[in-house]
Amino acid sequence: MSDLSFFHEPRSVAVIGASSDPEKIGGRPIKYMLERGFTGRLYPINPSRDRIQGIQAYPDLDSLDEAPDVAIIAVSGASAVAQVVRCAEVGVKGCVIMASGFGETGDAQGLAWQSEMLDAAARSGMRIVGPNSQGLADFASGSILSFSTLFTEQPPQDGSIAIVSQSGALCSVPYGLLREAGLGVRYAHATGNDIDVTAAELAVEVLKDPEVRLLLLYLEGISDLEPLAEVARVALEADVPVVALKGGRSEAGQKAAASHTGALATEEAVVDVFLEKHGIWRARSTGDLVAAAPLYLRRERPRGDEIAIVSNSGAICVLAADAAGEEGLPLTVLSAETRADLTAALPSFASVENPIDVTAALLTDSSLFGKVLPILGRDGGVDACVVGIPVAGKGYDVERFARDVAAFEADTDIPVVMVVPQSSIARVFRERGILVFPDEAQAIRGLAQYLRHHALIERARARRVDPGGRAHPDGPAVTLNEAESLDLLERIGVPTVGRVLVGSSDEVPAALERLESERLVVKGCSSAITHKSELGLVRVNVDRDDVVRTTEEMIAILDGEGVATDGVIIAEMVKGRHEGMLGARHDPVFGPVVMVGAGGIYVESMPDVRLLLPPFSFEEAKAAIGELRIAAVLGGVRGAPAVDVDAWAEAAVRLGEAMLDPALGIRELDVNPLMLLEAVDGRGGAVAVDGVVVRSAAAAS
């Protein structure tokens, strides 16, 4: 990634297509920079004007005494292409192209124009933001290379939050919400088509600013993994939380993203795992993107996720406790000392258990919050507080409430969120920098995000994070038959069922001597058939005396299907307490992906899976298994014994290592079922009884 600082502090900016009308696209950047005190040189370019918005205008770039650091391209179509080419020729460092109608349309002409601009930029080393870009804004330096109308509707205020978005609207909307909440924004960057400078590159650039304490990202596609991994790495080093909103979670959303920016939509479950592994919180809506912003700006970091709830309403206490349960936030079990102190501070009829209902006594005793919160602050089990005031107004000393809450936050490292539905009352708290939500569900969700995100960040710091993006195995692929697949699984360290491959019924007696089980499984083997049970090619619980006949039947079925026959597998009968599965594949963007999940015949119709990105640890694999719905029964229920989850996790780790080995050339792999055996003294095993592997032909040979 090259230095992009000239976009933030350019010594000079040319606006090509400059307008005297400050409300037009070619006029707004000039207006904003004049208003924000931009100290560099401004060059409006317009052949039909001598002066624009009070400053000298120029007919073209060649009329300037210098090559500007940055050029804003506010003309469209072929004119935009010609101006970009000329910018590259005269030595401009970077262009911001606001025009649309290029690669995002899928039109051949638009794609050809993009290529022409990129070629010109590559020859000179010029960098391009856009096209189809709303522009970049640095409110600290006054470099407003943007035409966003929100900067007029919500006047800028410098702050510690950076927004980088592939969409103009999803840059403006978070900006507007943050400013409406009274929060300052330092950077508001909307990149557009990302044909050269990417949102990830700009994110790394803003993270170099030591004043940035929160980065908000909006992504419509991820076509190159390493820049986003670099964002995460730099953010972790700078101790800056990153919250990302990515469009395209649904099939319709993926199509819309492609038509908007031409972005590559990737499998959303893999995106989730990648972001989580790198300590990036994935928001699910614009509201979620900004909801917890004030909490992130705190200098102190949360110490845990146990919360205390305080309100003058019993109903709010109940509803907030319900919301906490749904979000998985535990309520602190208050110490005996804390409860004794609360008993002394509160009316006799108030609750001193968590949630704490101070009752309507708050109306006559305005000191109650000021008494209760410090007591909770001294309880080492309280990591955060939720304070609810459903009704207030005349007769309530709201100013004192706000003063006491603000003092508590200032004196402790414990974050507080308020539940205040009345806008006039909420304003009093917001003016003191306290985060306020209109209802308990939103308050708990915002607090949960903040607390869980910091736990995510600490896990990302602790693990060895691989940048990912491994190259997909090249060349043609071959599908191994089941015998070959099981052999490869055994080779990479995944336990497999005892088995023998025979070519005819004459080989059965020798095979039976090598197998100990009294009951056996007999399966036809052919790389041309993956769903054998549908053709009657799987027989289970076969008596040893019936194996010869069953083998002959398998060969007859294979011959009847007209497929290449690789033989018949005779395997020991393994019955697990539960059935799991393992899978793996190469994602075109994220590289190798490993899947753990519930196995059996319903794996496709009722999927219960979690994904892992290699390399991952045994602990991470076990945690992923623990998140499955089936996990509730793996430890044993109603007298049933537990299964060996550790063996499953170990097999997943071995598979992850194998997917990173280019010599193996594994493209896809499926183990279903993986028999999970009863754990005796903690161990029992996990055994693959069926498997399909697709490898690169070069590796297979």
Side-chain angles (χ1 to χ4, degrees):
M1 296 185 184
S2 61
D3 179 19
L4 300 175
S5 60
F6 55 83
F7 281 119
H8 290 155
E9 295 185 342
R11 293 168 300 178
S12 53
V13 176
V15 182
I16 300 174
S19 174
S20 296
D21 186 344
E23 299 309 320
K24 288 190 174 179
I25 288 178
R28 284 194 193 125
I30 298 171
K31 169 193 171 185
Y32 292 148
M33 283 189 276
L34 291 175
E35 289 177 345
R36 293 296 297 176
F38 175 63
T39 59
R41 295 175 293 282
L42 262 177
Y43 298 122
I45 306 294
N46 189 322
S48 61
R49 295 283 189 276
D50 292 330
R51 298 187 71 78
I52 288 179
Q53 296 188 46
I55 58 177
Q56 182 181 350
Y58 301 84
D60 49 42
L61 283 171
D62 295 322
S63 303
L64 306 181
D65 294 332
E66 64 173 335
D69 281 351
V70 176
I72 297 173
I73 310 299
V75 294
S76 60
S79 297
V81 177
Q83 292 296 338
V84 170
V85 171
R86 188 58 186 149
C87 284
E89 292 171 346
V90 303
V92 171
K93 291 182 179 179
C95 278
V96 178
I97 305 172
M98 295 177 171
S100 56
F102 293 92
E104 76 278 4
T105 66
D107 177 73
Q109 180 63 76
L111 290 168
W113 279 341
Q114 275 193 180
S115 295
E116 186 177 350
M117 292 188 293
L118 275 173
D119 289 344
R123 288 193 294 270
S124 70
M126 184 179 75
R127 303 303 307 272
I128 294 175
V129 173
N132 191 30
S133 170
Q134 181 177 276
L136 315 179
D138 177 346
F139 299 115
S141 70
S143 174
I144 317 297
L145 317 173
S146 171
F147 65 87
S148 174
T149 59
L150 258 293
F151 303 160
T152 297
E153 300 299 321
Q154 296 281 354
Q157 174 186 316
D158 189 17
S160 301
I161 301 174
I163 304 168
V164 180
S165 169
Q166 288 179 314
S167 160
L170 262 296
C171 177
S172 293
V173 171
Y175 166 86
L177 292 172
L178 292 167
R179 291 295 302 115
E180 189 174 312
L183 298 175
V185 176
R186 173 153 293 194
Y187 301 101
H189 293 345
T191 61
N193 287 9
D194 285 19
I195 66 168
D196 177 27
V197 176
T198 65
E201 282 185 278
L202 282 169
V204 168
E205 191 66 35
V206 303
L207 286 168
K208 296 176 183 177
D209 186 336
E211 296 301 314
V212 171
R213 291 161 56 193
L214 174 64
L215 172 61
L216 305 181
L217 288 178
Y218 174 74
L219 305 171
E220 285 187 343
I222 301 172
S223 58
D224 188 356
L225 203 60
E226 291 189 11
L228 189 55
E230 178 70 359
V231 172
R233 185 190 66 78
V234 174
L236 288 172
E237 288 182 355
D239 197 23
V240 176
V242 181
V243 182
L245 176 62
K246 183 187 175 294
R249 290 201 306 272
S250 65
E251 182 178 351
Q254 291 173 11
K255 291 179 180 178
S259 64
H260 184 203
T261 62
L264 174 65
T266 54
E267 184 181 330
E268 292 307 295
V270 186
V271 174
D272 283 341
V273 175
F274 175 83
L275 295 178
E276 179 181 339
K277 184 169 186 174
H278 287 76
I280 298 174
W281 184 270
R282 185 173 186 180
R284 296 290 163 171
S285 67
T286 311
D288 286 346
L289 186 67
V290 302
L295 292 173
Y296 284 109
L297 300 183
R298 293 170 50 87
R299 291 293 181 185
E300 303 82 6
R301 293 294 182 251
R303 58 197 186 193
D305 64 355
E306 294 192 13
I307 68 170
I309 300 168
V310 184
S311 178
N312 63 329
S313 163
I316 294 299
C317 287
V318 172
L319 293 174
D322 286 344
E326 291 170 358
E327 291 292 336
L329 288 184
L331 300 188
T332 304
V333 178
L334 301 176
S335 69
E337 182 181 356
T338 297
R339 294 196 304 274
D341 290 344
L342 289 172
T343 298
L346 291 171
S348 59
F349 48 84
S351 169
V352 296
E353 298 290 340
N354 189 16
I356 301 153
D357 179 8
V358 301
T359 76
L362 184 66
L363 182 60
T364 56
D365 185 355
S366 300
S367 69
L368 289 181
F369 285 138
K371 293 175 180 177
V372 168
L373 289 174
I375 294 171
L376 294 174
R378 294 192 294 269
D379 190 311
V382 175
D383 301 314
C385 288
V386 178
V387 179
I389 306 178
V391 179
K394 189 173 181 179
Y396 287 89
D397 192 348
V398 176
E399 289 289 348
R400 179 167 183 177
F401 302 160
R403 188 167 62 248
D404 287 343
V405 173
F408 172 73
E409 275 208 297
D411 294 342
T412 71
D413 60 355
I414 298 176
V416 177
V417 296
M418 302 288 301
V419 181
V420 183
Q422 293 171 274
S423 58
S424 59
I425 307 301
R427 189 181 309 113
V428 178
F429 289 93
R430 288 195 179 104
E431 288 172 352
R432 290 186 176 270
I434 301 165
L435 181 56
V436 184
F437 292 90
D439 66 57
E440 65 287 336
Q442 293 181 59
I444 293 291
R445 188 164 61 247
L447 182 59
Q449 172 184 327
Y450 169 69
L451 298 176
R452 295 283 164 71
H453 189 184
H454 279 287
L456 202 71
I457 290 170
E458 292 309 313
R459 290 199 297 272
R461 279 205 182 96
R463 69 166 61 96
R464 178 172 61 89
V465 176
D466 185 87
R470 310 269 179 176
H472 193 283
D474 293 326
V478 296
T479 300
L480 305 186
N481 65 37
E482 184 180 345
E484 294 167 333
S485 296
L486 288 170
D487 288 346
L488 181 59
L489 286 166
E490 191 168 15
R491 174 181 164 191
I492 67 177
V494 176
T496 57
V497 65
R499 65 201 176 277
V500 179
L501 178 68
V502 299
S504 69
S505 59
D506 294 339
E507 300 175 20
V508 169
L512 291 176
E513 291 180 3
R514 297 167 56 186
L515 300 172
E516 297 180 358
S517 176
E518 289 300 317
R519 311 301 295 182
L520 300 164
V521 177
V522 181
K523 295 187 280 187
C525 184
S526 171
S527 59
I529 298 175
T530 55
H531 296 288
K532 299 181 288 294
S533 58
E534 297 173 4
L535 297 175
L537 287 170
V538 179
R539 304 284 175 82
V540 299
N541 204 27
V542 179
D543 186 270
R544 296 174 76 92
D545 293 338
D546 292 333
V547 173
V548 170
R549 178 179 55 79
T550 307
T551 298
E552 291 172 346
E553 290 175 358
M554 294 290 132
I555 294 173
I557 293 172
L558 288 168
D559 289 342
E561 291 295 322
V563 299
T565 301
D566 298 324
V568 175
I569 295 173
I570 304 170
E572 294 182 339
M573 185 82 177
V574 178
K575 181 64 174 176
R577 282 286 175 178
H578 294 287
E579 295 183 358
M581 60 88 68
L582 288 172
R585 65 179 177 80
H586 266 269
D587 183 273
V589 174
F590 292 91
V593 180
V594 171
M595 177 170 56
V596 294
I601 62 175
Y602 302 118
V603 66
E604 293 178 355
S605 57
M606 294 189 298
D608 178 18
V609 299
R610 291 294 182 273
L611 304 183
L612 293 154
L613 297 182
F616 51 85
S617 66
F618 167 80
E619 290 75 17
E620 289 174 281
K622 193 169 180 180
I625 293 170
E627 293 171 358
L628 297 168
R629 293 192 300 276
I630 195 178
V633 300
L634 298 180
V637 294
R638 295 193 174 185
V643 299
D644 190 352
V645 174
D646 286 1
W648 189 2
E650 288 166 359
V653 172
R654 300 289 87 76
L655 179 53
E657 293 169 348
M659 292 299 293
L660 294 173
D661 186 349
L664 293 173
I666 300 174
R667 295 194 178 189
E668 296 179 37
L669 185 149
D670 181 29
V671 177
N672 182 30
L674 180 76
M675 291 298 183
L676 307 177
L677 306 184
E678 178 180 333
V680 178
D681 295 328
R683 297 313 303 260
V687 179
V689 299
D690 195 357
V692 177
V693 177
V694 179
R695 300 177 72 185
S696 65
S701 63

